[in-house]
Amino acid sequence: MQAIERILSEVDRAADEIVDLTAALVRIPTVNPPGEAYDACARFLGGFLERRAFGVETTRHPRVNVIGSRRGGPGPVVHLNGHIDVVPAGDGWTVDPFGGLVRDGKIFGRGVCDMKAGIAAAVFAAEAIERAGVTLPGTVEISGTVDEESGGFAGVAHLAESGRIAKGRTDYVIIPEPLNVDRICIGHRGVYWFEVTARGRIGHGSMPFLGVSAIDGMGRLLQSVREILVPALASRRTAVPVVPPRARQATINVNGIDGGQPVGGIQTPCVADLCRAVFDRRFLIEEGFDATKKEIAELVGRVAGDTGAAGVRFDLRDLMVVHPVKTPDDSPVVAAVDRAIRRVLGRPAELVASPGTYDHKHVTRIAGIPHCIAYGPGELELAHQPDEYCRIDDLVNATKVIAVSTLDLMGASVP
Ligand SMILES: [Zn+2]
């Protein structure tokens, strides 16, 4: 039997173990925020890798990350990265979100598709190569990192900043996020979170004409956002294949607003002298950050000069900027995963980009590695939902794809 066939049958043979590992990870409630049970999960994953003869490193800065490495020949280093944190369970579950229930060919639980199944797929991709008796031409690394759901700063960003994941040391990165088993994710849009503060002048609520309402001023701004900015953004389309297709345009969301007397608090007969709003602007790679920010600043400036908002002062403050990323069209990692998907599933891969953001940004922007993609089991639409699940056949197929791609990237020929 050819090496690839042996590896594929080792994955099939390991199916129950892959399911068990996924369920065991789900049972560790690594909820973020705030970041619970990280140590327990890192210890469990590190121990699992150590028992299978991976070299295991643990870093703490200030939160724990774990990396297992298996070295073969001098060939390329393929790094498989998964975040161990999951979002809170929320309401609406019909099963225990941290029970790791297996039923009807699916594994249920918070974070099962996003992305504990992906971590299990990465581990058993490497394991199947070993069990098939195939010598690795290079090195495979598997990391379990924290805080992806809150920006990844103590996780992948830290590993990149400390040089543990770095250009020259790491050749290819595959992040097994749930993008559907036949899709390769080549990047994401940009994120600009900002806060606008409107300041008016306090006055008696019985004589509002003697004060300046910051809430009225913010109302003007929101009206301009809705009437001017939203239609302008809707007319801009990216050439990047963002999914779902409606996310192929630039967007803005008002995340929160707060001003004047606290609603439900003590009555104060006052004109609101302060109102703050937080916005979430998703921008396209074609727009770029500078133009995005300039457009917002100009809009705020225009509203400030508007007679309807007379006397209100506005301040704009950046909260977070994530620049968009895109894997180069001719990247070997895209070609290898595409070949593996054809080999395992018998159909070509669909290239997609994420409407949100994920740790790809740190791999590319901080570590300087262009050859990064996300590929993993589970359906994107189920992430962060109640009764989140991952299909076992998708999990097994994704494990095969990751195994074949890993070997292919190391220079082995994949027929
Ligand atoms: Zn995720």
Side-chain angles (χ1 to χ4, degrees), residues 83 114 148-149 177:
H83 64 85
D114 188 10
E148 189 275 343
E149 299 290 3
E177 287 273 9

Side-chain angles (χ1 to χ4, degrees), residues 90-286:
D91 294 331
W93 287 77
T94 63
V95 300
D96 177 358
F98 301 105
L101 174 71
V102 179
R103 192 174 64 196
D104 304 332
K106 298 167 184 164
I107 314 164
F108 290 84
R110 170 53 81 226
V112 63
C113 79
D114 188 10
M115 59 176 288
K116 287 174 169 174
I119 295 173
V123 171
F124 277 92
E127 196 55 17
I129 296 171
E130 170 86 4
R131 291 181 188 180
V134 176
T135 312
L136 274 182
T139 295
V140 61
E141 297 179 341
I142 296 167
S143 57
T145 53
V146 296
D147 285 355
E148 189 275 343
E149 299 290 3
S150 52
F153 301 106
V156 172
H158 167 63
L159 294 183
E161 273 155 9
S162 66
R164 182 58 190 80
I165 298 176
K167 189 178 180 164
R169 175 175 187 171
T170 318
D171 296 287
Y172 304 108
V173 178
I174 297 175
I175 304 177
E177 287 273 9
L179 268 308
N180 302 17
V181 72
D182 56 356
R183 304 200 296 193
I184 301 172
C185 181
I186 54 167
H188 55 71
R189 297 186 298 177
V191 186
Y192 175 38
W193 276 3
F194 60 93
E195 180 186 83
V196 176
T197 303
R199 287 190 177 80
R201 199 179 64 246
I202 198 161
H204 201 291
S206 67
M207 297 172 284
F209 42 84
L210 296 181
V212 176
S213 170
I215 293 177
D216 284 352
M218 187 62 81
R220 283 278 168 176
L221 178 65
L222 294 179
Q223 190 184 2
S224 295
V225 166
R226 200 170 51 243
E227 291 174 358
I228 300 169
L229 190 58
V230 168
L233 300 187
S235 70
R236 291 174 207 162
R237 307 280 295 176
T238 179
V240 180
V242 179
V243 287
R246 286 180 67 189
R248 232 159 262 184
Q249 64 182 44
T251 57
I252 189 164
N253 182 56
V254 189
N255 286 15
I257 187 158
D258 173 27
Q261 165 190 307
V263 174
I266 297 165
Q267 290 283 0
T268 49
C270 292
V271 173
D273 60 349
L274 189 71
C275 185
R276 289 181 307 169
V278 172
F279 298 82
D280 179 349
R281 168 83 161 83
R282 300 299 168 121
F283 61 98
L284 312 178
I285 202 162
E286 292 89 345

Side-chain angles (χ1 to χ4, degrees), residues 292-309:
T292 297
K293 178 167 177 174
K294 185 161 171 265
E295 183 176 43
I296 298 290
E298 281 174 1
L299 186 80
V300 171
R302 217 169 327 143
V303 172
D306 185 352
T307 49

Side-chain angles (χ1 to χ4, degrees), residues 401-414:
V401 169
I402 295 170
V404 174
S405 314
T406 298
L407 215 53
D408 187 343
L409 286 167
M410 288 179 185
S413 80
V414 175

Side-chain angles (χ1 to χ4, degrees), residues 23-59:
L25 289 167
V26 168
R27 287 186 200 107
I28 307 172
T30 44
V31 175
N32 177 32
E36 286 161 14
Y38 281 178
D39 281 337
C41 192
R43 242 191 337 267
F44 172 79
L45 182 59
F48 194 94
L49 292 169
E50 219 154 44
R51 285 194 297 284
R52 283 156 188 82
F54 282 80
V56 173
E57 303 153 65
T58 303
T59 68

